[in-house]
Each structure stands twice: as structure tokens, then as C-alpha cells.
């Protein structure tokens, strides 16, 4: 049951957040005795957050699509639920990202930033499509507001992707530093003007 799965994930996420808070305030020397370091706790939070945010988004998109054409109280309840769910997705991912940022650039941070960009794009596109198909929102003022909201959402996506790109660049720089920054042994550093042995052999004319 999808609803039960979400409830279990939400409970697990709350536990992981609590454990991260405890680990953050724990003396480093006591971390090993406690069995969980701050880095390990942050990783657990991020992994659960990714799954939970994905499930909430997928469920919300299905509900928004299924409620197309609804009116009155049903429509208002759908919109309230949609706003609550999409806000929850942002809050969950933002918290996970903030816990990971204390470690610097990591592949997990890049992955969760890319996930956030993907989910925000899906939410923004679904919201724009629903508003475009809503006969009550076709006035010039509403259309303008809808376009502005969609543009703002995509600008946030661009910002998230830029963050992911900076993290990926930092990781690449660490893994593949520029040649002139490498600390090579003295006997491996090429000398300026040194001729190769193949050009100075005894069989030269």
C-alpha cells in the first residue's frame, strides 16, 4: 500500500533527522562509542529523504492529474493538498542538502541536487499544465501569474543545477588535478631542453 509505505518512510525520516541532530552535538571522541558519526547520520538522512521526496512527488502528480476538472470544495482541497505536498518535498530535500554540505562536495550531494532539480521541474510543469487546462484560470491576469510562477520555478531549478555543477567540478578537480600542480618525484620531472635518448644513440650518423 502506497500510503502505508509513505507513512513508514516519514517515520524513518523523522528518526534519521533526530539521530543526525544527536550526532551533530556529539563529541568526535564519543562518536565511535555511539556507533554513528555525523557523516554517517547525514548520509542516512539523505538516502531516506531522496526516496520519501520521490514518492511524495509521484503521488502528488497522480492526484493532480486524477482531479483534473474538479470544482468547488473538491478542487480547493486538491489545491491545498498539492501546495502542502510540494512544499514538503522542498523542505525534505533542503534539509538533506544542508546536512550534506557540511562535508563539502560529495557524489551523494551531487545526486540529491540533481534529484531536486528533476522533481522541481516535474512539479512546475505539472502545475503549469493544470492551470492552462483550468477554465477558471484563463483570464489574462491568471495566465500572466501562471507564466511568472512557472518561470520562477524553472529559475530555481537552474540555480540547483548550477550548485550541482560546482560540486561536480570540485570533485573532478580533486580526482584529476592540473598537471602543473602535481608533486612528482625529482627524477620524474622532465628537464627543460633535455633530449630524448632515442635521438642520441650510438647509431647516429
Amino acid at each position: 500500500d502506497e500510503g502505508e509505505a509513505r507513512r513508514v518512510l516519514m517515520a524513518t525520516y523523522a528518526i534519521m533527522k533526530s539521530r543526525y541532530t544527536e550526532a551533530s552535538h556529539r563529541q568526535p571522541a564519543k562518536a565511535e562509542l555511539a556507533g554513528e558519526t555525523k557523516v554517517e547520520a547525514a548520509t542516512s538522512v539523505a538516502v531516506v529523504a531522496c526516496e520519501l521526496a520521490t514518492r511524495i512527488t509521484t503521488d502528488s502528480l497522480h492526484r493532480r492529474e486524477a482531479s483534473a476538472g474538479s470544482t468547488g470544495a473538491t478542487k480547493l482541497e486538491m489545491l491545498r493538498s498539492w501546495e502542502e505536498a510540494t512544499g514538503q518535498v522542498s523542505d525534505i530535500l533542503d534539509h538533506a542538502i544542508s546536512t550534506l554540505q557540511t562535508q563539502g562536495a560529495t557524489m551523494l550531494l551531487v545526486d540529491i541536487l540533481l534529484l531536486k532539480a528533476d522533481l522541481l521541474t516535474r512539479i512546475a510543469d505539472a502545475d503549469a499544465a493544470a492551470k492552462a487546462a483550468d477554465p477558471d484560470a484563463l483570464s489574462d491576469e491568471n495566465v500572466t501569474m501562471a507564466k511568472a510562477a512557472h518561470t520562477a520555478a524553472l529559475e530555481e531549478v537552474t540555480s540547483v543545477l548550477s550548485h550541482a555543477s560546482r560540486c561536480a567540478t570540485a570533485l573532478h578537480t580533486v580526482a584529476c588535478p592540473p598537471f602543473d600542480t602535481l608533486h612528482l618525484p625529482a627524477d620524474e620531472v622532465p628537464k627543460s631542453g633535455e633530449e630524448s635518448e632515442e635521438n642520441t644513440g650510438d647509431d647516429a650518423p
Side-chain angles (χ1 to χ4, degrees):
D1 177 69
E2 182 62 28
E4 180 62 21
R6 276 183 58 178
R7 283 190 290 274
V8 171
L9 273 173
M10 187 65 75
T12 304
Y13 176 66
I15 293 172
M16 294 298 102
K17 283 179 64 178
S18 176
R19 285 168 52 175
Y20 173 77
T21 301
E22 291 178 7
S24 297
H25 294 88
R26 189 179 294 134
Q27 293 290 340
K30 297 180 180 180
E32 293 185 6
L33 295 176
E36 185 173 47
T37 66
K38 181 180 177 181
V39 172
E40 292 169 337
T43 300
S44 297
V45 168
V47 170
V48 176
C50 287
E51 181 63 24
L52 180 58
T54 300
R55 284 179 177 269
I56 292 175
T57 300
T58 301
D59 181 59
S60 298
L61 292 174
H62 287 163
R63 289 175 181 272
R64 184 81 188 250
E65 184 177 359
S67 62
S70 61
T71 59
T74 302
K75 179 180 178 180
L76 290 176
E77 175 59 25
M78 179 276 297
L79 291 174
R80 184 200 65 76
S81 177
W82 169 262
E83 293 294 333
E84 180 181 335
T86 53
Q88 193 175 38
V89 168
S90 291
D91 289 344
I92 289 170
L93 293 179
D94 286 345
H95 179 268
I97 290 168
S98 67
T99 62
L100 291 175
Q101 283 180 321
T102 60
Q103 305 172 33
T106 63
M107 277 307 304
L108 182 56
L109 178 57
V110 173
D111 287 342
I112 200 169
L113 285 167
L114 293 177
L115 175 65
K116 180 180 179 180
D118 176 57
L119 296 184
L120 289 182
T121 300
R122 292 168 61 190
I123 289 171
D125 289 347
D127 192 48
K131 289 176 179 176
D134 185 357
D136 296 331
L138 295 182
S139 67
D140 290 343
E141 181 180 359
N142 286 337
V143 169
T144 300
M145 291 175 60
K147 288 182 178 179
H150 189 242
T151 298
L154 294 184
E155 287 176 350
E156 183 179 2
V157 170
T158 300
S159 176
V160 174
L161 289 174
S162 296
H163 188 178
S165 177
R166 291 194 299 272
C167 290
T169 300
L171 288 172
H172 180 268
T173 301
V174 171
C176 306
F179 182 80
D180 58 1
T181 65
L182 295 178
H183 299 291
L184 297 175
D187 59 348
E188 294 184 20
V189 178
K191 296 179 181 179
S192 177
E194 184 179 47
E195 295 183 355
S196 64
E197 292 183 2
E198 61 184 10
N199 292 332
T200 58
D202 294 334
D203 56 347

